[in-house]
Each structure stands twice: as structure tokens, then as C-alpha cells.
Amino acid sequence: MTQHNNIHISSQENNLKSKKDNLKSKKDNLKSKKDNIKSKMDNQESITDKLKTNTNNFKTNTNNNQNRTDYVILGNINAGKSTLFDRLTHSSKSHATNIPGTTVSITSGKIQGLDAQIYDTPGIYSIFSSNEDERASRDILLIPSTRNRLQGLILVADAKNLKRSIAIALQFSEYGLPMLLDINMIDEALSRGIEINVPKLSELLGIEICTTIAREGIGVETLNELFNFIRIVQF
């Protein structure tokens, strides 16, 4: 009987130890999650500080606007950025810019009819993404070799998924980065019954908006003419 009781007590002690170990493991996991959240918040604050510094550079160097001639194409994946890039540069000779801290190189080329370069970036969903390609699309705005010549952003939107692109536009708008919005693949949106009130959207965002069908070159010339009217989002 005593041996049976000892076995029972030993089993209870093992169960209690197991529960304590599980509780400790849960606490450790919770601490790890908190640390990850803090790390992400610190990363976002760092990005925000860098972009705010970038904004101050735009504001304090307004007298040197003649040195700001370059543009960066941004947008979601499969929005037609590279097709638009080829149309704007007429596939002219381009070169690659290496982004520090990544293995990504970003292609640039001369805009036909303008004394300016334009950079073709990987698709982006958020300026806070940790994905290497998306970081490169953000960091091209921060490295001195491009930042000091940057006139503004060309945000390319898929007309069928406009909300995603507006979200990016609003993220960048907080940091005073001048931009144009190009709503691409407008024909595909119309074929699905999607109608976009471009004048109203332009009024709400306070920037120029163009619609294009980049693969056919439709609207690209109009977009090119709007480069001189690029300005900061105001709403």
C-alpha cells in the first residue's frame, strides 16, 4: 500500500513539474513575442526617422531643385511598373544601383525627352516590410547617391486593386515625398465594370493622376508631361 502511495505521489510530482515546465515555456514564448513586437516597433520608428530626415532634406534644399531631376517608380507586384519603365525610357541603355545591406540591384534609365533618370523598383506592399526586395524599394529613397537627386515618386497602381496602392501613397504622404499616381491597366478595370472617378481622387489626394495602359503605350505621353507638376500629397 505504501509503495502504491509513493508511486501515486511521484506521478503527481511529475505532473506538477511538467505543468511548471509548460508554464515556463509559455512565459518564455510570450517574452519572445513581446521582444519581436518591440523589435518591429523599433524598426518602424527607425524607418520613420529616416524618412522624416529625407523630408527635411526636401524642405531645406528647395533652392537646389535644379539638381533634383530623378524619379523612382514604386507600386505593388504586377502593377506594370517595369512595362511603364520600358515605355518611359524606350528601353534605353540602363545601369544598376546596388542597395546597401541587400543583394538587390535596382535598374535605372534615362527618361525620353527629359534630362532625368528613373529607377525601376521591386513590388512593395508596405514601407515597413522586412522583405529584402521591398526594403530595397524603400531604401532607394534614403541612400545619398539617389536621395540627393530625387525629384519625386511615380506610384503605379493596378486599376483593379486601387486600395492597395492608395494605402502605399498614404504611407509615403506622411513624409512629404512628392508623387504622381499612375492608374495602370485601366482597360482591365473597365472590362470588370470598375469605374474610377479620377478627378475626384486627384482632388482628394491633391496630386496629379494619370491613367495608362502601359503595355500598349496608351497614356504614357500624358504621364510624361505631368512630371513637371509633381507635388506632395495634400488631403
Side-chain angles (χ1 to χ4, degrees):
M1 185 69 175
T2 301
Q3 184 179 4
H4 176 75
N5 288 339
N6 287 339
I7 292 173
H8 181 67
I9 291 171
S10 177
S11 177
Q12 287 181 327
E13 289 177 344
N14 288 336
N15 287 337
L16 181 60
K17 182 177 183 302
S18 177
K19 288 180 180 179
K20 286 182 178 179
D21 290 342
N22 287 337
L23 181 60
K24 183 177 182 302
S25 178
K26 288 180 179 179
K27 286 182 177 179
D28 289 342
N29 288 336
L30 181 61
K31 183 178 183 303
S32 177
K33 289 180 180 179
K34 287 181 177 179
D35 289 342
N36 286 336
I37 291 172
K38 184 178 184 302
S39 177
K40 288 181 179 179
M41 290 178 67
D42 290 342
N43 182 49
Q44 290 189 4
E45 288 178 2
S46 174
I47 294 169
T48 299
D49 289 341
K50 287 179 180 178
L51 287 171
K52 283 182 178 178
T53 299
N54 207 35
T55 301
N56 290 334
N57 287 335
F58 274 111
K59 291 179 178 179
T60 57
N61 292 322
T62 52
N63 293 331
N64 295 323
N65 278 345
Q66 66 271 19
N67 297 323
R68 297 186 177 278
T69 59
D70 296 352
Y71 299 87
V72 173
I73 293 181
L74 292 168
N76 295 137
I77 296 172
N78 298 325
K81 298 182 305 301
S82 294
T83 303
L84 181 63
F85 172 83
D86 289 340
R87 290 287 183 178
L88 287 170
T89 61
H90 290 196
S91 300
S92 64
K93 184 177 180 181
S94 59
H95 66 275
T97 299
N98 295 319
I99 306 302
T102 75
T103 60
V104 180
S105 294
I106 291 180
T107 302
S108 66
K110 184 181 183 302
I111 303 174
Q112 293 295 311
L114 291 178
D115 184 20
Q117 293 283 322
I118 191 163
Y119 296 85
D120 182 22
T121 65
I124 186 171
Y125 288 113
S126 169
I127 62 173
F128 300 118
S129 175
S130 59
N131 174 281
E132 187 175 58
D133 282 347
E134 293 186 72
R135 287 205 328 266
S137 295
R138 179 192 71 222
D139 290 349
I140 188 72
L141 310 178
L142 304 175
I143 58 177
S145 61
T146 53
R147 180 190 66 203
N148 295 336
R149 294 183 57 82
L150 183 61
Q151 177 69 11
L153 314 177
I154 311 302
L155 184 63
V156 183
D158 178 353
K160 305 185 300 298
N161 297 290
L162 195 54
K163 286 183 179 180
R164 293 178 183 175
S165 299
I166 291 177
I168 295 176
L170 295 179
Q171 286 180 350
F172 281 110
S173 72
E174 295 183 19
Y175 308 106
L177 300 173
M179 70 177 73
L180 291 173
L181 177 60
D182 171 38
I183 303 177
N184 191 34
M185 298 185 281
I186 191 68
D187 56 326
E188 295 182 16
L190 292 173
S191 69
R192 299 186 184 194
I194 301 172
E195 295 185 6
I196 300 170
N197 190 334
V198 173
K200 184 64 176 179
L201 183 58
S202 178
E203 179 185 346
L204 290 172
L205 295 177
I207 59 175
E208 298 295 331
I209 298 178
C210 180
T211 60
T212 59
I213 308 174
R215 68 179 180 278
E216 297 179 16
I218 297 174
V220 175
E221 185 176 342
T222 301
L223 176 64
N224 202 326
E225 293 172 355
L226 291 176
F227 278 44
N228 292 325
F229 301 95
I230 193 166
R231 59 183 185 267
I232 296 170
V233 173
Q234 297 177 353
F235 58 92

